[in-house]
Structure formats: structure tokens, C-alpha cells
Amino acid sequence: MSQNGQPSVFGRSLVLPATAGDTAMVFGAGVLPAGHWFDTHEHAQHQIAWAARGVLVVEIGDGHWVLPPTRALWIPGNARHRTGTAEGATMHGIFVEPDRCPVSFGAPTMLRVTRLLHELFDHLTAPGTAPAPRRRAEAVVFDLLEPVEVIPIGAHPPSDPRARQVAEALTRDPADDRTLGQFAIHVSAAPRTLARLFVAETGMSFGQWRTQIRLAASLPPLAAGVPIARIAGRVGYSTPSAYVAAFRRAVGVSPGRYFAR
């Protein structure tokens, strides 16, 4: 939020139109450079985070959502979140007044962005749209908000300093193929100690945790259309088929289906 209480995005306040009392949505748009992240923040309005170009990443608590242009994320009001992009994106910040919103999702929810919804977002972002057409377009937008059922990918890091060093190394380089025993020497801990710490603090074995981190790292290039043969090596799989098999075991669908329309 800005100091005047209006939603803020891209470092500037979004000025509400004169007819804001009759409409539910405020739109802002801007180009985010590669590697840009907003600080963790919250606002009273609901938000629909969406990129017309590029891939956005939104983090809320332990949740991690990757959003190509065919996906958006409903962020409930007052939910603390962090948004960024690895390769750059054209982001639309869509803020929804809770008391004028006919739909509501109580938790962060991924939404399907059809071609029609894409066009409506662009239409509502354009300046100078009169109040009556805005209200009609907003009503259609609310009708088109369709949740997408996805299995979350990713894992929170352990808090113990020794296990956290291992987690940070793998987050920096998911293709790091050192065994738990090799990591144990590096962080001055017994392998069994590290194994227990991962289970106790993440709810997963070390191997399961590593798989989740590798799959999470694969989502932005997957959403951007990078070929699977190139993604597999980047995240630590010796062959594309090994990556596809791991993805299907963890998520239930193939990588090609995860972001399909």
C-alpha cells in the first residue's frame, strides 16, 4: 500500500478514477526487469497477480506459484506475499475492493486465464474507459474467474543451520548432485543427523526435499516454453525422461500438461 492508502505497484501509487465508487477493480501495469522482486507486503484489497508477458512467481508463506500468461493468482486481502520474475515480465496488478467483489477465495488460488479473460484484462487496463463499460467488463471478469486445481510444488527450508546450509546450496544449484554424506562433511554433521533434521523440519526425507526443489526450479523455464531437454540438465536430471518421470510421480501429470490451457 502507498502512504495515501491506495494500492501501489511498480513503485508508484495507482490513482483511483473519479468513478471508483461505482467499480470494483483498480488496474496498474508495468514492466518488471529480470531478477526484480517486490519486498514482502500486504494490502486490504484482494489482488489478481497476472503477467501479460513473461513469467511471474508469487510466494505466500510456504506456497510458491509460477504464473505464465495462461495463469493468474488470486491473493486474498491482507495476505503477506512477495512477487518477482526471473527473466522479466509485463505485470498487471489488479486490485479488487472486497466489499464490491461478488466472488471470494479464502486462500491463494491459481486461476485459468483464457483468451477472453486476457482481452478483458487488457481492456480494463487501458485508460479512459467510461464507468458503465467498466462495470460491464468487470462483471464478465468475475464470471470468468475459474480456479485451476494444481498440486503444489516446492518445499520450505529446514531451520537448523547445518541442514539449512545444505538447502541453500541446492536452492542455488538444483543440479548439485552431492550425496547427503558429502554434504555432511561440508557442514560438519553426521549424515544421520542431517537425515533426521530434514524429516523433522520439512516433513520430507532429504531425497524427497531435493526432488521438490528441483521440480520447483524447473517451473519458470517450463512456463516460459524452454524445451524439456534443456530444463532436465539445468535441474539435475541426466535425461529428459528421468525428469518427466520424477515430475509425473510428484505431480500426477507430465510437465507438458502442467501449464496446458
Side-chain angles (χ1 to χ4, degrees), residues 132-149:
R134 282 190 64 85
R135 288 193 296 271
R136 291 194 293 269
E138 287 178 2
V140 177
V141 167
F142 287 129
D143 283 344
L144 292 175
L145 296 183
E146 178 188 355
V148 177
E149 294 296 331

Side-chain angles (χ1 to χ4, degrees), residues 130-180:
R134 282 190 64 85
R135 288 193 296 271
R136 291 194 293 269
E138 287 178 2
V140 177
V141 167
F142 287 129
D143 283 344
L144 292 175
L145 296 183
E146 178 188 355
V148 177
E149 294 296 331
V150 294
I151 295 177
I153 296 175
H156 66 269
S159 58
D160 180 272
R162 295 161 296 178
R164 196 174 186 93
Q165 285 185 63
V166 177
E168 289 172 351
L170 289 172
T171 301
R172 286 193 302 269
D173 179 14
D176 189 329
D177 62 356
R178 280 179 287 177
T179 66
L180 194 59

Side-chain angles (χ1 to χ4, degrees), residues 118-136:
H118 187 145
E119 293 297 328
L120 284 166
F121 284 159
D122 284 342
H123 171 66
L124 286 165
T125 306
T129 305
R134 282 190 64 85
R135 288 193 296 271
R136 291 194 293 269

Side-chain angles (χ1 to χ4, degrees), residues 62-75:
D62 292 337
H64 181 93
W65 288 266
V66 176
L67 309 171
T70 57
R71 297 287 185 265
L73 184 70
W74 178 277
I75 304 172

